[in-house]
Structure formats: structure tokens, C-alpha cells
Amino acid sequence: MSRSQSFALCSIALNAYAAHILSHDPTTTTNAEHRLCAGGIFTFPLLSPAMAAHVKLSQPQLTTIALAGMMSQYTVAALVGKVVDTHGPSLCSLIAAFLFAFGFGAFSFEIYNTPPDIATPSSASFHRLTFFFFLAGLGTVFSYFSSLFAASKAFPRHLGLASGVSMALFGLSPLFLSVVASNYFTDPDTKTLDVPYFMLFLAILTTTVYLLGAVNLRIIIPDSDSARERLSSSDVEEDIRETTALLPKPTPASDPTVADLLRNQDFWLLMAFCILTLGASEMIICNIGTIVHSLPPGSDGPRPESINVEASTNHQVRLLSLASTISRIIIGPLADFVSPITSSPTIDEQTTSKKHRISRMAFLTGAAVVLAITFFWMVTQVTSREAIWTLSVGTGFGYSTIFTVLPSIISSMWGTKNLGRNFGLLMYAPFTGNPIFSYMYAFVSDAHSHGYGICEGRDCWQLTFWVSFGALIVSYLTSLVLWHRWKCSL
């Protein structure tokens, strides 16, 4: 890595906490700002208590709106990948700008025009809010692909490190936005979030950033052919050696067709694991706000997070974001160190494999164990808002660990030629699991609520967590089966 690239990479991290930085590489600023603004839909837990009180939405309706933003990302991932491969990150940035502008802007307008004294929720308003959040979710996936592709172009010989930092910044986005929400859009007396103005802020911020990105990325991110022409012959040879050393050794299962994957038992076992673990985790991410609301504050003295529901929710969103970010920063390099991908021999026989200490499946098994313990602790020990921090930290750590390790496992088992396609197929796991667990939570909660608004009490979610705990035990056993079957490959 050159000195200028090292400086640029450090600048990406610094820009996670600042709106401006002093960098000699404009690619860095653009990419970091993209990642910093990309997590707007993940602030929904901050919105849900205020929306339940103001718009009188039920828990199933709140869950539906949250799922519209979360699930829309998975439905078009393959299409967005094709767009960024064909036309580059600038077009994706432009599309994201328009989707965020209309999605967040119309969402803000809809809440603003809802009378404060309505007695029953409006069905038409609920459907419009769901559609607007769906558009914001589409904007999120376009922004994600735009930023990730820009990072890989900016650091062509350090794709893993660039992608890891980019993903970590994505995890920090909800933290940054939650700080903004609490400091600038929350009433200091009532501690209530002003949803219309916060969503309007998101609309203006994201539209501005991604419109600028559409221009900047077109100028500063060259296409693959022109970039390679500027590399010297020695650089090209070095790239080939570095890339070859990271490729897994070809196996009979490498580069299968879609039909081959669908006939592969291991693929379906991994799919089942992801449905259970990622589905249960995203249920928490979507509903942490109402979980906080269901419990009373602690009795061990006043603290900021125990005084108000919105403040407690904000605190949990920050913890989720921090746990997710720290997990991505630590687990990726750790997996590379203790479980390097098997190297294939090069022509000059100068490449040697690093010591393989443990299978990468250990990280998936560990994530399932962490999530199971977290859910068991929640259902047996948690009785106040302050104690929910264990749920936020455990969920953020387990969820991000799975996403961090999954691409390398897929490439090791089925090759790198169609890695994006194979990863996209597995993304139907959270697409399936999220609504299963989320609607289970929603209907159990709704069955224990009284009238409109958010359910209160442990009964609102206790059954959901017991079922989820059982599902995570099944996922743990599934990971052990895969670990045994893949012990010679990973």
C-alpha cells in the first residue's frame, strides 16, 4: 500500500465522526460520506415509539413499515450488482439520491400532515408510509453497492481491507444519525423525537451527499481498463501474484451452476443456518425500540437512559451500531489470521500457505452460540430497560460476525467466479427469516396490547424469545454438521 493510499484509508475512518476531513484523496471523502449517510433506515427504532403515539400505528403495522425498508434491499441486490458492474458507482449514487429524496421526504410530509388528535390510524396513511420506507430501503442498497465498488476501485490491491473499513463505516452510520437525532431533533423537555423534521433532515442530507457523489465518483473513479493501463508491468505481475495467493484451491464443487447449488445439501444447510440466525437478529434490529418501550426503567437511581423511552431507545441503537462495527473490524482480520484461505500453488512456487489453525465455520458456530445465550439471558434475566444492553451488544456482534465471514466461506466452498451470485442467493435467507421472526414478534405483542399503541410488559415478547432461542439452538447444531462436513475444505 502506498503512503497516499494509507493516508486515504485512515481518512475514511476519521470521516466516520466528522462531516469534513483534510485528505489529499477526494475518493476517500466521497466514499466515507456515502457510508456515513447510508444507514437511515436503521434508525427506525428511534421513530417507532413516536409514530405509535402520534399516528396510532399498531405493532404489526410498525413491523410492516420496518420490513419494507429492510426487505427491499434483498429483493433487488442482483439487479443493483448488474448496474454497478455495467455503469459504475456514479449511476448507483445518482439513483440512491432520488430514492432517498422521495422516500425520506415523502415520509416526513406524511407524518407532518397527520393530525395530532386522531383516535384511530389511517389505513391509507399506513400504506403510504410503508411504500415510502420501501423506497428508502431501495436507496440504501444502491448506496451500499456504490460505496463498496468505489472502495474497491480506490484500493485495487487491498480489496479486503478497503471493503472491511467500508463495511465498518456502514455499521457506524446508525450511531452517527442517532447522535444527530438526540442532540438536534429531540425536545429537551419531553425527550420526544420530532419525526417529521428528522426525516426531512435525512432527505436533504442523503440527497445532497449522493448527488455530489454521482459527480465526484464519475470523475475520480476510473473504469477498470484505464486504471490497469496506468499500472506498470511490475505492478500487474504483483497484482497477479497477490490475487492468486488468495484464491482457494479448486475443488470439484467450485463454480457450480444455480441448479447445482439448489441440489447441494450443504447449500441448503447453510441457507437454513442463515434463515434462523439472521432472521432472529434482524427481528431485534427492527423492533428494539418497542422492546425498550415494553419494560419499565430500573430502580437503582436515575440515569439518562432510564428517564425516557426515546433516550433509552437511542442508547440501544448506538450500542447495536458499535457492536456491529467492532465485530466487523475484529472478526475479519482474526479469521484471516487463524483460518487463512488455502492458497493454490503459483507457477514459480514462491507462494506458501499460512498456518491453518481452525475452520472458518468456528466463527459461524460461535455467532450462533452468542445469539442463543443473548436470547436466553433476555428471556430469563432482563426486567428493566437498562438491562437490554446485553441484547443490543449480543445481537450486533453475532449478526455482523456472520456477514463478515460468510463471503469467504462461500468462495472457499463454491469458488470465486460467481461469488456475487452465490452470495446473492444466500441473501434470500434474511429475506425469508426476517418476516417470519418479525411478524411472530408483532402478533405476539399485539395479542398482549390493550388498544392502540405499544404493548407493555414482558409478556409482549417472552414467547417470541423462547421460540427464537430454540431456533438458534437448531442453527448451532446445523453449524456443527457443516463444520464436520467441511473440515477438509475450510
Side-chain angles (χ1 to χ4, degrees):
M1 182 184 295
S2 66
R3 180 176 299 178
S4 61
Q5 285 181 318
S6 299
F7 180 78
L9 190 60
C10 292
S11 299
I12 290 177
L14 291 174
N15 200 51
Y17 290 100
H20 62 281
I21 76 169
L22 299 175
S23 173
H24 299 308
D25 188 350
T27 305
T28 300
T29 304
T30 302
N31 190 36
E33 287 174 348
H34 277 212
R35 309 307 292 151
L36 190 59
C37 301
I41 64 169
F42 298 103
T43 62
F44 188 80
L46 302 179
L47 315 178
S48 55
M51 291 175 61
H54 179 66
V55 193
K56 302 298 189 295
L57 296 177
S58 66
Q59 183 60 61
Q61 290 175 322
L62 290 171
T63 296
T64 299
I65 296 173
L67 285 177
M70 295 286 290
M71 305 309 294
S72 60
Q73 302 174 81
Y74 302 124
T75 58
V76 298
L79 173 63
V80 178
K82 182 66 175 178
V83 172
V84 76
D85 286 340
T86 305
H87 302 287
S90 61
L91 179 60
C92 282
S93 184
L94 180 63
I95 295 174
F98 284 104
L99 288 170
F100 280 136
F102 189 75
F104 287 143
F107 195 98
S108 169
F109 186 75
E110 182 70 29
I111 299 294
Y112 181 80
N113 284 330
T114 301
D117 56 349
I118 61 171
T120 59
S122 167
S123 177
S125 177
F126 159 66
H127 287 106
R128 286 193 294 269
L129 289 172
T130 302
F131 176 68
F132 299 149
F133 217 65
F134 173 84
L135 294 180
L138 292 181
T140 301
V141 70
F142 273 98
S143 68
Y144 181 86
F145 273 76
S146 174
S147 301
L148 197 58
F149 189 80
S152 66
K153 287 288 187 180
F155 302 94
R157 277 182 282 172
H158 304 278
L159 301 182
L161 184 59
S163 299
V165 171
S166 186
M167 290 178 65
L169 289 176
F170 185 81
L172 278 177
S173 179
L175 172 63
F176 167 76
L177 294 176
S178 69
V179 171
V180 172
S182 62
N183 289 338
Y184 299 101
F185 296 95
T186 300
D187 188 284
D189 297 324
T190 63
K191 304 297 182 181
T192 301
L193 178 67
D194 192 329
V195 176
Y197 283 98
F198 177 64
M199 297 304 286
L200 179 61
F201 161 77
L202 284 182
I204 295 173
L205 175 68
T206 53
T207 302
T208 303
V209 167
Y210 288 101
L211 283 178
L212 291 175
V215 176
N216 292 338
L217 291 177
R218 181 178 295 275
I219 296 173
I220 62 184
I221 301 294
D223 58 41
S224 299
D225 294 334
S226 61
R228 183 160 293 277
E229 288 176 0
R230 290 197 298 269
L231 290 173
S232 64
S233 58
S234 61
D235 289 334
V236 172
E237 292 174 358
E238 182 181 350
D239 281 346
I240 294 174
R241 286 197 300 269
E242 291 182 358
T243 303
T244 303
L246 293 175
L247 293 178
K249 186 176 181 178
T251 66
S254 293
D255 301 327
T257 64
V258 173
D260 291 335
L261 280 179
L262 297 181
R263 290 192 295 265
N264 190 310
Q265 288 185 347
D266 293 346
F267 175 80
W268 286 109
L269 285 173
L270 186 59
M271 176 72 79
F273 174 87
C274 292
I275 288 174
L276 297 176
T277 53
L278 298 179
S281 298
E282 291 194 354
M283 178 265 291
I284 301 301
I285 294 173
C286 290
N287 297 286
I288 190 67
T290 54
I291 294 174
V292 170
H293 195 287
S294 69
L295 290 172
S299 58
D300 53 346
R303 287 182 292 182
E305 62 268 26
S306 67
I307 295 174
N308 181 268
V309 173
E310 283 74 17
S312 297
T313 302
N314 201 322
H315 181 64
Q316 300 308 321
V317 170
R318 295 180 188 182
L319 287 177
L320 264 168
S321 179
L322 279 174
S324 176
T325 302
I326 293 172
S327 173
R328 288 169 176 169
I329 292 174
I330 294 176
I331 295 300
L334 180 61
D336 289 338
F337 176 73
V338 302
S339 182
I341 296 177
T342 304
S343 302
S344 58
T346 60
I347 296 176
D348 57 11
E349 299 293 337
Q350 294 180 354
T351 302
T352 58
S353 299
K354 297 180 180 179
K355 183 179 180 180
H356 191 279
R357 296 172 174 83
I358 192 172
S359 170
R360 287 193 175 228
M361 278 303 302
F363 291 95
L364 294 190
T365 302
V369 170
V370 168
L371 289 171
I373 293 175
T374 299
F375 279 50
F376 182 78
W377 181 267
M378 178 70 182
V379 82
T380 59
Q381 302 296 323
V382 174
T383 58
S384 66
R385 294 173 193 166
E386 290 73 31
I388 296 181
W389 72 267
T390 55
L391 178 66
S392 301
V393 173
T395 300
F397 186 85
Y399 179 76
S400 294
T401 295
I402 295 170
F403 265 111
T404 301
V405 179
L406 199 57
S408 62
I409 290 178
I410 296 172
S411 65
S412 295
M413 293 310 304
W414 297 299
T416 58
K417 181 179 180 180
N418 298 303
L419 174 59
R421 181 204 67 189
N422 297 340
F423 185 79
L425 288 174
L426 274 175
M427 287 305 96
Y428 283 101
F431 179 80
T432 304
N434 189 337
I436 291 175
F437 285 94
S438 292
Y439 277 116
M440 176 175 61
Y441 169 84
F443 287 119
V444 169
S445 177
D446 193 55
H448 291 87
S449 63
H450 305 284
Y452 298 108
I454 297 176
C455 179
E456 296 183 2
R458 286 170 53 87
D459 289 341
C460 301
W461 41 260
Q462 198 162 22
L463 175 61
T464 302
F465 275 86
W466 273 124
V467 174
S468 300
F469 171 71
L472 290 169
I473 294 299
V474 173
S475 70
Y476 164 72
L477 297 175
T478 302
S479 71
L480 292 181
V481 173
L482 287 172
W483 193 342
H484 177 73
R485 293 168 69 102
W486 291 349
K487 62 182 178 180
C488 296
S489 302
L490 295 176

